[in-house]
Amino acid sequence: MNKLKYCFASMLFLFGAVVFAQEVEEKKEREPGHTNQSRFKQLYEEFSTPNTYRSASGAPGPDYYQQQADYKMDIELDDKNAKIYGNETITYTNNSPDDLEFLWVQLDQNVREKDTKSALRNGNGVNFAYQASNFAQTYITESFDGGFNIESVKDASGKPLSYTVNQTMMRINIPQALKSGDQMSFSIKWWYNIPDHTVNRARSGYEYFPKDGNRAYVIAQFFPRMAVYNDVEGWQNHQFWGSGEFALPFGAYEVNITAPADHVVDATGVLQNRKEVFTKEMMKRYEQAKKSYDKPVLIVTQTEAEAKEGSFSEKKKTWKFKTEPGNLVRDFGFASSRKFIWDMQAVKLANRDVMAVSLYPKEGNPLWEEQSTKAVAQTLVTYSKHTFDYPYHKAISVHAKNQGMEYPMICWNYGRPNEDGTYSDRTKYGMISVIIHEVGHNFFPMIVNSDERQWGWMDEGLDTFMQYLAEQDFGKNYPDVIAPNAKYPSRRGEASKIVPYMSGDQSRISPIMSNPENVYQLGPNAYGKPATALNILRETVMGEELFDHAFKTYAQRWKFKHPTPEDFFRTMEDASAVDLDWYWRGWFYTTDYVDIGVKGVKKYYVSGDKTKQMKEYMAARNLTDADLPPLVYLVEEGSEDYNEGLKGKAPSEVAPTLKEFMMDNMTAEERAQVKEPKFFYEVTFNKPGGIPMPLIVEYKYADGTTESVTYPPEIWRKNDAEVKRVLSSEKELVGIVIDPKLETADIDTTNNSWPIKDEKSDFDQFKEKVKGK
């Protein structure tokens, strides 16, 4: 036998005891009574069982179905009294295999009833200080008299239908079950008082401008809306408490909105009577906007809007909107005011044009005229690149104080300059970012229609991740907006941005897979952490090519459908061939954090002399030198064997070379391929944190060179606490840094280096600063 092969065979023999011990421990895990707690265990227990509705691949199954709710509505906006009146007809199609005994309708405005239980759902105590406005609102001001006033519910023939209202849900008690495959129509007549949305951050309502006596309306959740019925939980009739958003079926809409004649109105859907409600000059400008791809065209100028602020027309005008055939929507929203400036710009997406639109009062300028439509256009381009081409004909950004809310084709966004027109970078970037985020919601969840009320992260987290990509594209494509050569200052998405949350008080942190109503910090939990998790997954774990293909596959599989978390998780693995169960488990199902460090480094030299450990091993087994082939030993620096072997000499003087053991039996070709390492190190990495991650290591050598190695996350699969790696090198190792580019959201970087850096705490730095004064 070749001596080299014999040597390796013998070393395998020596390691047999260790391997056997590992096998014993693994066998214990498989025996009854022992639960597999590995962080790399598959998520079979957490995931729903695949079926014919939702396949194991994450794609819709052959029997997937979804209901459809079509609406015809006549709406009137009473500007003088801040009321809204509606008469709607809903045609509901039962595509499920079930016969439905009753129907559930959402009355989300009831969360603002005078005696709403929503105000009682949280505990509170006395604060040490209050803002005067909040104190007055909480303890002095009478509650707002909101909520739906239902005047009638009737079937298609005009006969009254029995109904039961339970807080924000209304059950329609139909006289006979709606059979599978059948449809029925019924009508609801209603009205309610419109709230001031600047109070209690209402998602829709009006803002009052005392200087000119006008209101600007952003109206949503304004009509009784069908609840979702699906294969996952039947009726999604969870109450609307305020934080968990919406779950809605797709449908077609025809909506007539009657408003004061001097108002500008835009909404979900295609405007059907543009020539009736536009002036000739507006029509001319609109035609120009359809051909303008580089800058917005003003449809209504600031001068024209200001001229109408004192008109208060007694006449009315009806704006008619209708959704496009084949492009169903899940909701409807509109904005209306005589104060609105209006601009539009065409955006080229593949072989079609989409209009990027902005509505804003003069209080939004100059910032909105400069930046809003740019942000809309960039959002459509970036999101379409990573998902699917935006299918609707327009996307509207509406300026509203302190707002950030989304609906199909239309959204409300904050970002107001000072009264003199000046604004800070913080205001500018905040406005651009919220516009990107809210316009981006057209993709998640308006088209990829997840259940926001149950899984807030599926729209907010995915959208915040995509927002980060669009912000970075915005910075590249509009260098005049940001400082030269600067990176767009994204607030969320980068790994380091989520560290304060993940390292915080565990009693106030919930898993991402939590209902939005049940978490303390909804922003980091539903927006920041999932966005960061996806960004790390894309840039560090999977790589952009694999991630982008899988993410686009998910978006295209589930556009105009209702996905669940499992559908997303399974698709990402199905389309990439990357096992990510460990990642979903750590980041989404737990509150664990990332913390990986260098525990220690040991240095070795090569020896041909038997070590003390080897002698003990041979004695225990009655082995002689004749029983073993020539063996190579790595002797730890500073050990008893090390000191005995050197006898006052340098290691290089006494340490035999590998050639002395192996080269004499190698061919010339084999010798040419052998590099003789002069240094051997055993590096121990530990993982105080719960989440396994790729082990990204930068090795630094005495000659000034560095070497970067990324060990896959599976390195932690058999020992979740610590792992060892032997490093053989021709150069002397002088330093190690883990995660040098801060790619993994490691919450403690003080243990990321060897030798340990003497990093002073914030308190120590403060003391030194005080001493220096």
Side-chain angles (χ1 to χ4, degrees), residues 575-633:
S576 67
V578 180
D579 180 4
L580 295 169
D581 281 21
W582 62 274
Y583 197 82
W584 310 133
R585 183 187 300 283
W587 278 91
F588 288 78
Y589 285 86
T590 77
T591 60
D592 287 343
Y593 49 82
V594 179
D595 184 12
I596 298 173
V598 185
K599 185 177 181 180
V601 178
K602 294 179 180 179
K603 187 175 181 180
Y604 291 81
Y605 78 93
V606 177
S607 173
D609 297 330
K610 287 191 292 291
T611 61
K612 181 180 178 183
Q613 185 179 8
M614 185 60 188
K615 292 174 183 176
E616 293 173 351
Y617 180 88
M618 293 175 64
R621 289 160 178 76
N622 294 318
L623 297 175
T624 66
D625 290 343
D627 297 319
L628 298 175
L631 296 175
V632 178
Y633 300 96

Side-chain angles (χ1 to χ4, degrees), residues 413-434:
N413 302 299
Y414 58 77
R416 182 166 294 179
N418 302 316
E419 286 193 22
D420 63 1
T422 61
Y423 53 84
S424 65
D425 279 349
R426 180 177 180 180
T427 297
K428 176 179 69 175
Y429 292 127
M431 186 206 78
I432 294 170
S433 290
V434 74

Side-chain angles (χ1 to χ4, degrees), residues 271 273-290 299:
L271 180 59
N273 60 335
R274 192 177 301 275
K275 291 183 178 180
E276 295 176 20
V277 295
F278 272 32
T279 65
K280 289 183 178 179
E281 185 61 31
M282 290 170 67
M283 282 300 302
K284 179 181 176 182
R285 295 168 182 170
Y286 174 70
E287 292 301 325
Q288 292 174 348
K290 288 165 65 177
I299 310 301

Side-chain angles (χ1 to χ4, degrees), residues 104-250:
W104 280 104
V105 175
Q106 303 180 62
L107 303 178
D108 299 297
Q109 283 297 323
N110 283 2
V111 78
R112 309 196 71 76
E113 284 183 313
K114 196 168 187 178
D115 299 320
T116 176
K117 292 183 180 179
S118 179
L120 306 177
R121 76 191 193 281
N122 294 327
N124 64 356
V126 174
N127 295 333
F128 70 88
Y130 296 84
Q131 287 187 5
S133 58
N134 289 343
F135 182 82
Q137 182 181 312
T138 304
Y139 297 110
I140 299 174
T141 307
E142 186 176 352
S143 298
F144 177 71
D145 186 14
F148 282 107
N149 296 279
I150 304 296
E151 293 189 351
S152 66
V153 180
K154 298 179 180 180
D155 66 14
S157 64
K159 294 180 181 179
L161 284 173
S162 168
Y163 62 91
T164 301
V165 174
N166 175 16
Q167 293 180 230
T168 62
M169 301 299 301
M170 178 169 72
R171 188 182 68 238
I172 309 295
N173 303 311
I174 54 181
Q176 57 187 17
L178 181 62
K179 300 292 185 182
S180 174
D182 287 353
Q183 68 176 203
M184 69 170 289
S185 296
F186 62 97
S187 63
I188 307 175
K189 189 177 182 181
W190 50 267
W191 68 273
Y192 68 83
N193 294 314
I194 302 173
D196 180 343
H197 71 68
T198 67
V199 177
N200 282 339
R201 297 293 298 272
R203 295 171 187 268
S204 92
Y206 66 81
E207 177 184 359
Y208 180 69
F209 295 84
K211 288 187 177 181
D212 53 50
N214 279 285
R215 295 185 179 95
Y217 294 89
V218 286
I219 302 297
Q221 292 91 242
F222 67 93
F223 60 101
R225 306 181 295 176
M226 288 301 304
V228 167
Y229 184 88
N230 63 21
D231 62 286
V232 178
E233 58 182 320
W235 285 108
Q236 164 49 293
N237 53 9
H238 295 191
Q239 295 292 340
F240 176 49
W241 292 100
S243 294
E245 292 184 318
F246 311 108
L248 299 160
F250 285 108

Side-chain angles (χ1 to χ4, degrees), residues 364 367-373 375 397 399 413-417 425-437 488:
L367 183 56
W368 273 68
E369 189 171 313
E370 293 170 354
Q371 308 299 346
S372 176
T373 303
S397 169
H399 174 66
N413 302 299
Y414 58 77
R416 182 166 294 179
D425 279 349
R426 180 177 180 180
T427 297
K428 176 179 69 175
Y429 292 127
M431 186 206 78
I432 294 170
S433 290
V434 74
I435 291 173
I436 290 174
H437 183 89
Y488 188 98

Side-chain angles (χ1 to χ4, degrees), residues 609-728:
D609 297 330
K610 287 191 292 291
T611 61
K612 181 180 178 183
Q613 185 179 8
M614 185 60 188
K615 292 174 183 176
E616 293 173 351
Y617 180 88
M618 293 175 64
R621 289 160 178 76
N622 294 318
L623 297 175
T624 66
D625 290 343
D627 297 319
L628 298 175
L631 296 175
V632 178
Y633 300 96
L634 290 179
V635 180
E636 182 184 352
E637 184 178 57
S639 68
E640 183 178 335
D641 290 312
Y642 179 87
N643 295 326
E644 175 66 23
L646 288 181
K647 295 179 179 178
K649 298 180 181 179
S652 59
E653 295 181 85
V654 297
T657 66
L658 291 181
K659 292 179 182 178
E660 293 180 52
F661 291 103
M662 304 174 185
M663 299 292 266
D664 57 335
N665 283 320
M666 287 184 177
T667 65
E669 291 181 356
E670 289 173 330
R671 290 193 190 106
Q673 296 176 13
V674 172
K675 289 184 179 180
E676 185 176 7
K678 297 174 182 169
F679 299 93
F680 292 87
Y681 302 91
E682 180 189 75
V683 185
T684 301
F685 302 100
N686 64 346
K687 190 170 72 65
I691 300 180
M693 290 293 284
L695 180 55
I696 306 170
V697 185
E698 182 181 81
Y699 295 108
K700 298 181 179 181
Y701 298 101
D703 64 357
T705 61
T706 61
E707 178 189 13
S708 295
V709 180
T710 298
Y711 302 99
E714 286 77 9
I715 197 171
W716 304 104
R717 72 195 186 283
K718 293 184 178 180
N719 190 331
D720 191 54
E722 64 178 48
V723 294
K724 296 179 180 180
R725 292 290 303 185
V726 175
L727 180 68
S728 60

